[in-house]
Amino acid sequence: MIDFKDLCKEYGSISALRGVSLHVPKGEFFAYLGPNGAGKSTTLRILTGLTKMTSGEAYLNGFHIERDSLQAKRQCGLVPQTINLDQELTVYENLNLHGLLFRIPARERAGKIHELLDYIGLADRKGSVVSRLSGGMKRRLTIARALVHSPVILFLDEPTVGLDAGIRRRIWALIKKIQNNGTTIFLTTHYIEEAEFLAERVAFLDEGRIIAVDTPEALIARQGTWAIDRVVDDDIKTVYFKTREEATQYSAAREESFSLRRVNLEDAFLALTGKKVK
Amino acid sequence: MYGWLAVYYRELLILKRRFPKMLASMSVSPLLYLIAFGYAMGKTVTIQGHTYMEFLIPGLVAMSSMTRAFGIGSEINISRFYWHIFEEFQAAPINNISYALGETLAGMTRAFFAVVLIILLGLLFGVVLRYDNPMFWLAIFLNSFVFSSLAVGLAMIVKSHADQAMLTSFVITPMAFLGGTFFPLSRLPVWAQNILYFVPLSHASKAIRAASFGEPVSLPSYLFLAGTGAAFFFMAVCFVNRARD
C-alpha cells in the first residue's frame, strides 16, 4: 500500500532523510515516531507531493509518486500539521472545493460532504465561516476534508499537536473509526501515548534514519515490562525489569526515592537513541 | 485540465466575500487621479485633440488592469506563506497548467472589475468613450493576461512577502507611470521611447486609448501583448514546480 525505498532528502548540505525504506500494508495503522527534526514531516511531504525527494523510490497503492503523480495523489488524503483551511470560506465551501479539486461529481460530492459533516459532528456548522470555529473543530474539519475523495491512504502529520487532552482523545476516536472502515493510516507524531494507543506498528525515526520498526508491544518488550526511575545527580536514571517482583526487590534494597511504572515506547526510543522523543 | 475550474472557483468565492471592501479600495486611487490630474490640473489641457480627462481614462484603465491583475501574486503569497492553502493545491491531482490557468484567470477577473469601476467613475465626470468597441476589451483582456501570468510566475519563485512587495515597487510602479498612462510617450526623448517600446503597458495604453477613441488600432501592439502574455504564462507553468521545496 505504502512503499518507499532509500528515500533521501537534502537541503543544501543538510540531510533531512538518509535512505529510509518502509512497507505499510493495506489497512494498517502505522505510526512514524521521532523527535522534532527527525524527518517525519519531510517523509510525509515527499509522499504527498509537497516536497521533491533527492533520491529514492516511493509508491502509493502501486503508483509511483513522481512518474504517476496525479494517480498517486488520488490514493491519499493529507491532514497537514498546520491547519490550512480557507479561513474566509464556510465549512461546506472548504469541503466542496476539495471535492472539486479531486473531480468528484457534484451529486456524489454533496452526499459525501453531508455524510462527513455528520461523521465529525459539524453538520450544524456547515454554513459557518471557518475562522469562527474552535481549534478542535478546525482539526476535525481538516480530517474530514482529507476524506472527501474517499482515499485508501490517510496521512496525518501531528494531527493533535496543540490540542488539549479531551479534544485529542476525540480526534483519536475519529481516526480509529476511519481505520476501521479499511483506510490505511500513516501517522507522524512525537506524542508517545498517541502512537502507543493507536498504532499497530511503529517506526522510530532519528536524524533522518529509521532505527527500529515493530509493534509497540514488541518494541517495549525489548526493554522489559517494569521500570524504576531514580533521581541521581539532578538527572533521572531508569532501570528496567522483566517482572514487577524483580523491580520491587531492587527498590527494597535501596533507601533513595524512586517511582515504579510500566515500560513505554519512550523507554524503547531512549534505549535505542539515548534521547527522548519529545 | 479540470483542476483550473477548482482553483478559479476558490478565487471567485474569496472575491465574493471581499467584494464590497475590494470595490471600495479599487476606487480610491483612480478617483484621486481623476480629481487631481483630470479635473483640477488637466481642465484646460488637450492632448491629441481630446480633453485631458478623455486622455486619462484609457490610461487609468490600462494601469488598473495591470495592477489588479498583478495583485493576484500577493494573494497567492498570502495563501503560500501565511495560510498554507497552496499546499492543498499541491497535494491535489491537478497539473501545473491547471493551477497556473486558474490563478491567471482569477487575476484577470479582478482586472475586469477594476476596469468597469473606472468606466463608471469616468461617467460620473461626464466622459463617455467607445466602450462598445471589441478591440477595447481585447486590449484589456491581453493586458490583464500579461500581468496576471507574470504575477503567478513570480509568486512561485519569491521566498517571502517582502520579495513580492519589492517586485511591485521596482517593476509595476515605474511601469504604471511611464507606460503611457498619464502622458503620451511621444513627449519623451527618442531613446526613452525606444526603451519603453518593450514595456507591455505602453502597448496596452496605446491600444486601449485608440480603441476607446474609435481610432484605428495598432495590430503589432496586440501581437506584442499576446506574445508576451503567452511567454509569461509558459514561465508561470514551468515555475509551479519551483514552489515545491
Side-chain angles (χ1 to χ4, degrees):
Chain A
M1 183 59 57
I2 304 170
D3 284 286
F4 50 90
K5 198 174 173 212
D6 300 328
L7 215 55
C8 289
K9 177 65 186 176
E10 283 164 13
Y11 294 100
S13 59
I14 298 164
S15 291
L17 284 179
R18 302 160 193 250
V20 292
S21 303
L22 199 63
H23 168 73
V24 179
K26 189 181 175 194
E28 186 173 64
F29 199 126
F30 193 88
Y32 209 46
L33 193 68
N36 289 330
K40 304 187 298 292
S41 293
T42 303
T43 308
L44 202 139
R45 287 178 67 85
I46 289 172
L47 294 175
T48 53
L50 304 183
T51 297
K52 284 178 275 190
M53 58 184 162
T54 306
S55 62
E57 292 281 322
Y59 296 85
L60 299 179
N61 204 18
F63 295 101
H64 192 277
I65 61 161
E66 288 190 342
R67 289 196 293 272
D68 309 310
S69 68
L70 299 188
Q71 277 302 328
K73 285 176 181 178
R74 285 183 199 286
Q75 310 307 310
C76 64
L78 168 67
V79 179
Q81 189 174 344
T82 312
I83 290 173
N84 65 346
L85 296 162
D86 250 309
Q87 302 286 326
E88 290 175 84
L89 304 186
T90 65
V91 167
Y92 188 90
E93 285 167 341
N94 267 279
L95 298 177
N96 192 39
L97 180 65
H98 184 89
L100 260 178
L101 282 168
F102 280 79
R103 211 175 174 173
I104 311 296
R107 186 175 288 185
E108 187 186 330
R109 198 165 66 229
K112 185 76 185 178
I113 291 170
H114 284 109
E115 180 192 318
L116 283 168
L117 286 173
D118 282 334
Y119 195 63
I120 61 165
L122 284 180
D124 58 335
R125 301 299 298 266
K126 72 173 186 176
S128 300
V129 173
V130 167
S131 59
R132 296 197 186 133
L133 301 181
S134 68
M137 286 175 177
K138 283 179 187 170
R139 185 54 77 181
R140 276 186 281 153
L141 180 60
T142 313
I143 295 172
R145 187 184 60 179
L147 297 172
V148 171
H149 61 288
S150 309
V152 290
I153 302 165
L154 182 63
F155 288 105
L156 298 127
D157 192 6
E158 310 260 7
T160 60
V161 74
L163 298 177
D164 65 46
I167 297 169
R168 189 180 298 168
R169 293 220 158 241
R170 282 191 71 179
I171 301 282
W172 286 0
L174 178 63
I175 300 170
K176 236 352 193 185
K177 207 159 110 182
I178 294 163
Q179 190 224 359
N180 291 340
N181 288 339
T183 309
T184 306
I185 308 278
F186 190 96
L187 167 88
T188 76
T189 184
H190 66 265
Y191 292 129
I192 291 291
E193 67 279 18
E194 191 161 279
E196 220 172 293
F197 179 76
L198 293 169
E200 289 162 314
R201 276 198 312 148
V202 174
F204 284 159
L205 191 70
D206 187 43
E207 294 180 359
R209 287 193 183 89
I210 291 178
I211 50 171
V213 185
D214 216 326
T215 62
E217 297 78 19
L219 287 167
I220 290 167
R222 290 183 193 182
Q223 278 310 111
T225 311
W226 293 92
I228 283 182
D229 295 323
R230 294 160 47 219
V231 179
V232 180
D233 300 331
D234 296 335
D235 196 11
I236 294 175
K237 298 280 180 202
T238 307
V239 190
Y240 301 101
F241 302 93
K242 292 280 178 208
T243 63
R244 188 178 181 128
E245 288 69 37
E246 282 176 38
T248 318
Q249 279 170 17
Y250 175 86
S251 57
R254 285 161 176 78
E255 287 185 354
E256 63 207 354
S257 68
F258 65 89
S259 63
L260 176 66
R261 61 173 175 82
R262 280 194 168 272
V263 174
N264 59 30
L265 273 179
E266 177 90 52
D267 297 302
F269 190 86
L270 187 67
L272 285 164
T273 64
K275 55 181 117 165
K276 295 200 168 194
V277 177
K278 288 175 189 174
Chain B
M1 281 298 287
Y2 183 84
W4 71 267
L5 196 60
V7 177
Y8 185 55
Y9 170 70
R10 185 240 165 200
E11 294 291 351
L12 287 188
L13 286 173
I14 299 283
L15 195 67
K16 192 177 118 190
R17 286 272 185 287
R18 296 186 196 158
F19 198 66
K21 277 186 198 167
M22 211 180 74
L23 219 53
S25 76
M26 269 179 181
S27 58
V28 174
S29 297
L31 192 61
L32 290 174
Y33 287 133
L34 286 171
I35 293 169
F37 297 153
Y39 186 73
M41 284 170 65
K43 210 170 187 177
T44 56
V45 178
T46 54
I47 297 177
Q48 296 164 350
H50 297 275
T51 65
Y52 187 66
M53 190 67 100
E54 286 172 346
F55 180 85
L56 181 61
I57 285 175
L60 288 180
V61 164
M63 187 180 82
S64 282
S65 58
M66 172 185 74
T67 52
R68 289 296 158 184
F70 193 78
I72 194 68
S74 300
E75 294 295 330
I76 294 171
N77 274 304
I78 293 166
S79 294
R80 262 186 82 191
F81 300 121
Y82 189 65
W83 295 117
H84 302 281
I85 295 160
F86 184 64
E87 291 181 359
E88 168 77 348
F89 295 129
Q90 283 182 304
I94 59 170
N95 56 34
N96 295 353
I97 297 177
S98 296
Y99 177 75
L101 182 62
E103 293 291 10
T104 302
L105 286 175
M108 292 169 72
T109 306
R110 284 159 189 262
F112 172 78
F113 284 118
V115 167
V116 171
L117 192 70
I118 289 170
I119 290 173
L120 293 175
L121 289 173
L123 291 176
L124 284 179
F125 287 87
V127 178
V128 183
L129 301 171
R130 293 288 308 276
Y131 304 127
D132 57 341
N133 185 350
M135 296 309 276
F136 171 78
W137 293 104
L138 179 61
I140 291 166
F141 175 87
L142 291 174
N143 190 42
S144 56
F145 175 55
V146 167
F147 288 100
S148 193
S149 299
L150 176 65
V152 174
L154 293 176
M156 295 296 104
I157 53 171
V158 297
K159 301 288 180 203
S160 66
H161 294 306
D163 290 352
Q164 185 71 31
M166 201 174 73
L167 283 170
T168 305
S169 300
F170 286 99
V171 180
I172 297 301
T173 307
M175 224 188 279
F177 284 89
L178 301 173
T181 316
F182 297 103
F183 55 87
L185 292 181
S186 56
R187 293 192 177 178
L188 291 173
V190 176
W191 64 265
Q193 287 181 46
N194 289 339
I195 292 172
L196 291 170
Y197 180 82
F198 295 99
V199 171
L201 190 68
S202 305
H203 291 274
S205 300
K206 190 174 154 188
I208 290 169
R209 195 164 279 132
S212 63
F213 291 163
E215 295 169 358
V217 295
S218 159
L219 197 59
S221 286
Y222 285 83
L223 292 175
F224 182 90
L225 289 172
T228 310
F232 285 163
F233 184 74
F234 177 73
M235 178 193 81
V237 172
C238 294
F239 284 176
V240 174
N241 266 346
R242 291 253 209 128
R244 294 165 74 203
D245 54 15

